[in-house]
Amino acid sequence: MAYGLGWDSVSVLDLYKIWDLLESLEGSRIKRALEYKGVYVIQHSNGILLFSPKRGVSPLSEDIELKNPVRSRLLHEIEGRRIREVSIINEDRVLALDLYSATLVLEWVREGNVVLLDHEGRIQAAAAQKTMKDRTVRRGEPYKPPPRLGDISRSPSEIVELASRLSRRSIISALAYALSLPPELIYEAAYRQGLETASPGIDVKDIIRIVETARSIYLESIERKEEGFKTTIEGKVLIYPFEPFHLKAGFEKIEYPKHFPSYVASLMLSDSSAGEIEASPVERAREALARLELEARLVMDHASRLQRLIESYRRMRESRIPWEQLENDLRKDFPEVKAFNHEKWIIQVDLGGLDIHVNARISAYANAEMLFEKAKSLKSKIQELQEVRHDQPTKVVVRITKETGRPWYRDFRFFVTTNGFLVIAGKSAGQNELLVRRYMDEHDLFLHADIHGAPAVVIKTEGKDVPEQDILEAAQFAASYSSAWKAGLLTMDVYWVPGSQVSKKAPSGEYLGKGAFMIYGKRNWLRGIKLELLIGVGSNGLEAIPALKKPQGNCYVKLSPGTISRELTARKIHEFLQHSCGYKVMLEDILRLLPQGTFHVERWRNVESRL
């Protein structure tokens, strides 16, 4: 029987294999944010993104039919925003959508969560607010991602040591946790080594062999991103990101990015609906209303006794007796007490067979009043739903409108040099990887600034010789969009090599992360390239180009590292373009073109003058 029957959620390996689809979100605008049976449905201009805290993410490019979806109260604020960048946090099952002045974080580790951050990285809203041993998820708190235990880049001996601490787990589960890889992949690695993981005779050397084989399968699977395998076992469809030799037969090769997202989506949408008829929002609201009204009446009926309970609880807290003694003493006098949340001053009591949470900060009558007010508010909500839907079930089709005839490079940063060569730069590690792997030819030129945190930049040569001036322009583009700008550096060294000298294959025993490459052979250095950009209106609209290009028009401002904030710089450019050039543009479209950091701003002319 296949180990794969335990498949649970989108793994980090799955993410890398469908990364091109996730990156297609960049530059798109969010149209609607809905919720459906515990699944978040984000409709954007390039498609649909489904998210389940249990399963993970599924980027879809086809219409889906949903019955009675509701607008997400948590995510309605992101509607209309543009997605600047998609990234993985901690190289784990946490996806971040940078929305310029906000960030949407989707977690499917542990219990999963949806967290909306403000521009400072503080939590603005969360599906589940909670305090844990290693982090706190509360409104107003700085966001801290779930700690990542596993890491495939660690040495085999480190991984074995880490797995040994998880002695209560099986070897498969412990190694999957330590490597942050799917259990199915660990099982496959053991199978290829001829090892029986349930055997008590397995030793450290055997475990190291499993680790090394698992890493090899992982890297091979990433290299063959388009390839997947599908089988059906006991009536259940399973999809693997690697070739499952342990199945021996009965599987077929498929296009992974094409089949996997719809497979995950089907699992998400079936999680809460198997054998059930989904209640309408009105029906669910009516059930909640009946519960609230019953709770309010029970609190009123037992108000005098609840008030004595509340007063006793307050006196005991003031006397600072231990929590355990406080709880035992109260239960002797009030056996209806079931549980406490001392942090929130909440006492859970059983009234008439119903569990009710009583707030000890306020009186019993105030508790009843609060419940009646909630019921009143819910009645108004039910009336609104009935007016919109007339209390009739409806089917909503989330449709996708795609932009047609849009050049592939518009998802990246780009410009055209003085002599007509197209220059493309990645906006993220994922885009760097995509640009080099898919779009760079061996005769193209690859450029990179000599600093960590710089984009991969490619000059598309079409087999022609590139003049020095055009290479310098591309080098300035590469330097300006590197982390050197945020560091306040004014110049940066940049090198270039032919595309044939760039490889994703690491030397034996080493591992290259996403967006990292090996450069073989001689590098051609360009020293002291100034960090300067022009932002303004060209023949194709709003653009950012290196200052060395020197465009013909005058509707540009010149930027270099300085002291003005990013937001103020964007407003200055917005005002200049609107008043001096008569060009209307959205502020966030300007922000999308700005490097990270602060700025010095000048008006650009043949003879430059201060803006």
Side-chain angles (χ1 to χ4, degrees):
M1 183 163 129
Y3 196 90
L5 285 173
W7 186 93
D8 184 48
S9 65
V10 176
S11 70
V12 174
L13 176 56
D14 298 321
L15 275 179
Y16 287 143
K17 289 183 77 82
I18 62 170
W19 191 248
D20 292 357
L21 300 176
L22 290 168
E23 280 197 321
S24 70
L25 275 70
E26 294 181 351
S28 66
R29 192 181 298 278
I30 296 174
K31 294 181 176 180
R32 288 190 290 176
L34 308 171
E35 291 183 35
Y36 179 74
K37 300 180 182 178
V39 176
Y40 293 85
V41 184
I42 299 173
Q43 184 187 10
H44 55 94
S45 52
N46 291 341
I48 295 169
L49 180 69
L50 299 183
F51 173 70
S52 159
K54 175 184 177 182
R55 300 288 187 182
V57 291
S58 173
L60 300 174
S61 57
E62 300 175 352
D63 294 349
I64 56 173
E65 189 175 85
L66 305 177
K67 185 178 180 180
N68 295 325
V70 295
R71 191 183 183 201
S72 174
R73 290 186 178 183
L74 176 65
L75 300 183
H76 69 89
E77 291 185 13
I78 71 173
E79 293 179 347
R81 294 178 183 262
R82 192 178 291 278
I83 301 172
R84 174 166 61 180
E85 184 178 2
V86 181
S87 60
I88 300 174
I89 296 178
N90 261 1
E91 297 296 316
D92 206 349
R93 290 161 294 165
V94 183
L95 196 72
L97 274 60
D98 184 337
L99 308 174
Y100 290 92
S101 57
T103 301
L104 176 62
V105 179
L106 307 174
E107 303 177 355
W108 63 103
V109 292
R110 298 180 178 178
E111 300 85 9
N113 209 344
V114 178
V115 186
L116 188 61
L117 312 180
D118 63 17
H119 67 285
E120 295 180 338
R122 294 186 176 275
I123 298 171
Q124 184 176 335
Q129 298 193 51
K130 47 194 173 182
T131 300
M132 294 157 278
K133 289 182 180 180
D134 45 26
R135 68 181 187 132
T136 298
V137 179
R138 296 283 176 196
R139 183 181 176 88
E141 293 285 329
Y143 175 72
K144 181 181 179 182
R148 183 187 182 214
L149 177 62
D151 187 349
I152 193 173
S153 64
R154 287 175 174 161
S155 69
S157 58
E158 287 179 308
I159 291 168
V160 169
E161 194 277 328
L162 181 56
S164 67
R165 296 187 224 151
L166 308 170
S167 55
R168 294 183 180 180
R169 296 172 178 255
S170 67
I171 290 175
I172 295 291
S173 177
L175 288 178
Y177 196 50
L179 286 162
S180 282
L181 291 178
E184 293 84 356
L185 192 148
I186 307 299
Y187 183 86
E188 174 69 20
Y191 176 84
R192 293 187 187 185
Q193 286 294 329
L195 296 171
E196 177 53 59
T197 54
S199 171
I202 193 165
D203 59 20
V204 172
K205 289 182 180 179
D206 292 334
I207 294 175
I208 289 177
R209 286 165 58 198
I210 294 174
V211 169
E212 291 175 339
T213 305
R215 182 182 281 118
S216 176
I217 296 171
Y218 172 82
L219 296 174
E220 178 185 305
S221 181
I222 289 180
E223 286 289 333
R224 297 152 69 176
K225 290 176 68 175
E226 303 295 321
E227 187 177 88
F229 299 87
K230 178 181 177 182
T231 189
T232 302
I233 299 175
E234 298 178 5
K236 182 177 180 180
V237 174
L238 298 170
I239 291 182
Y240 290 83
F242 55 86
E243 189 166 1
F245 291 140
H246 68 271
L247 295 182
K248 297 180 182 178
F251 55 84
E252 60 176 309
K253 187 181 290 189
I254 59 170
E255 294 179 42
Y256 203 78
K258 180 179 179 181
H259 290 84
F260 185 73
S262 56
Y263 168 64
V264 178
S266 66
L267 291 171
M268 290 181 187
L269 299 178
S270 65
D271 279 340
S272 61
S273 61
E276 299 179 5
I277 298 175
E278 178 73 4
S280 71
V282 172
E283 290 167 344
R284 293 197 298 271
R286 283 174 175 165
E287 290 175 2
L289 175 61
R291 164 90 187 209
L292 279 172
E293 290 178 335
L294 178 57
E295 287 185 11
R297 287 197 299 271
L298 286 169
V299 171
M300 285 295 293
D301 292 343
H302 297 81
S304 58
R305 183 170 176 80
L306 288 176
Q307 186 61 34
R308 291 199 300 275
L309 168 62
I310 290 170
E311 291 170 357
S312 298
Y313 179 75
R314 290 175 180 173
R315 283 197 304 272
M316 290 183 181
R317 283 189 70 122
E318 289 172 3
S319 64
R320 298 181 180 276
I321 65 174
W323 291 125
E324 185 176 356
Q325 182 184 339
L326 178 151
E327 293 175 6
N328 290 334
D329 290 349
L330 273 180
R331 285 194 173 102
K332 289 177 183 176
D333 296 331
F334 302 93
E336 63 269 33
V337 172
K338 295 185 66 177
F340 297 86
N341 184 331
H342 298 299
E343 182 183 354
K344 295 184 178 180
W345 289 62
I346 297 296
I347 307 171
Q348 183 181 328
V349 296
D350 180 350
L351 298 181
L354 205 64
D355 288 343
I356 296 175
H357 292 82
V358 175
N359 186 344
R361 292 183 185 273
I362 58 178
S363 70
Y365 290 102
N367 272 276
E369 173 112 11
M370 182 175 64
L371 290 168
F372 280 125
E373 283 298 318
K374 286 183 178 180
K376 181 179 178 182
S377 175
L378 192 53
K379 280 182 181 178
S380 300
K381 180 64 178 177
I382 290 172
Q383 187 173 356
E384 291 175 11
L385 289 171
Q386 287 175 326
E387 290 173 357
V388 173
R389 299 177 179 270
H390 306 291
D391 205 14
Q392 295 297 317
T394 60
K395 288 186 177 181
V396 175
V397 177
V398 181
R399 298 199 177 277
I400 303 167
T401 54
K402 297 181 180 178
E403 298 180 43
T404 57
R406 190 169 183 262
W408 62 268
Y409 54 80
R410 286 196 172 271
D411 291 330
F412 300 83
R413 300 193 188 281
F414 70 95
F415 78 98
V416 177
T417 66
T418 298
N419 292 296
F421 289 91
L422 176 64
V423 176
I424 311 111
K427 298 178 183 176
S428 62
Q431 277 205 343
N432 290 343
E433 184 116 355
L434 179 64
L435 176 59
V436 172
R437 283 179 177 273
R438 177 174 294 184
Y439 297 113
M440 186 178 74
D441 299 326
E442 61 178 10
H443 299 298
D444 294 336
L445 300 187
F446 174 89
L447 298 93
H448 198 275
D450 189 26
I451 189 172
H452 179 73
V457 177
V458 172
I459 304 177
K460 298 296 292 180
T461 67
E462 306 297 335
K464 302 174 184 176
D465 292 333
V466 182
E468 183 181 0
Q469 170 64 25
D470 299 66
I471 296 176
L472 288 170
E473 291 173 12
Q476 189 171 55
F477 201 63
S480 297
Y481 280 110
S482 73
S483 57
W485 195 296
K486 189 173 183 179
L489 303 179
L490 299 179
T491 63
M492 176 53 51
D493 294 342
V494 179
Y495 68 82
W496 67 269
V497 295
S500 58
Q501 291 181 211
V502 183
S503 175
K504 184 62 183 176
K505 292 185 179 179
S508 179
E510 295 185 23
Y511 168 72
L512 291 175
K514 184 180 65 171
F517 308 96
M518 289 298 299
I519 307 297
Y520 296 95
K522 179 185 176 183
R523 304 185 187 196
N524 302 283
W525 286 97
L526 302 169
R527 305 291 184 182
I529 299 295
K530 288 185 177 180
L531 275 65
E532 293 180 339
L533 285 175
L534 300 181
I535 292 185
V537 183
S539 57
N540 294 317
L542 185 67
E543 65 178 2
I545 60 175
L548 287 172
K549 183 180 175 181
K550 297 181 179 177
Q552 295 298 316
N554 284 324
C555 276
Y556 290 87
V557 294
K558 179 181 175 182
L559 305 177
S560 55
T563 58
I564 302 175
S565 72
R566 202 163 176 271
E567 290 71 22
L568 180 56
T569 298
R571 287 199 295 271
K572 281 177 170 285
I573 297 171
H574 183 270
E575 183 179 351
F576 165 71
L577 293 177
Q578 192 165 7
H579 294 134
S580 299
C581 305
Y583 186 81
K584 293 185 178 180
V585 62
M586 295 184 67
L587 197 63
E588 67 177 47
D589 289 332
I590 297 172
L591 281 165
R592 182 166 48 88
L593 297 178
L594 296 180
Q596 294 297 319
T598 52
F599 300 83
H600 174 76
V601 186
E602 297 176 272
R603 178 161 181 177
W604 187 87
R605 286 195 179 118
N606 289 332
V607 178
E608 297 180 349
S609 60
R610 188 74 178 269
L611 179 62

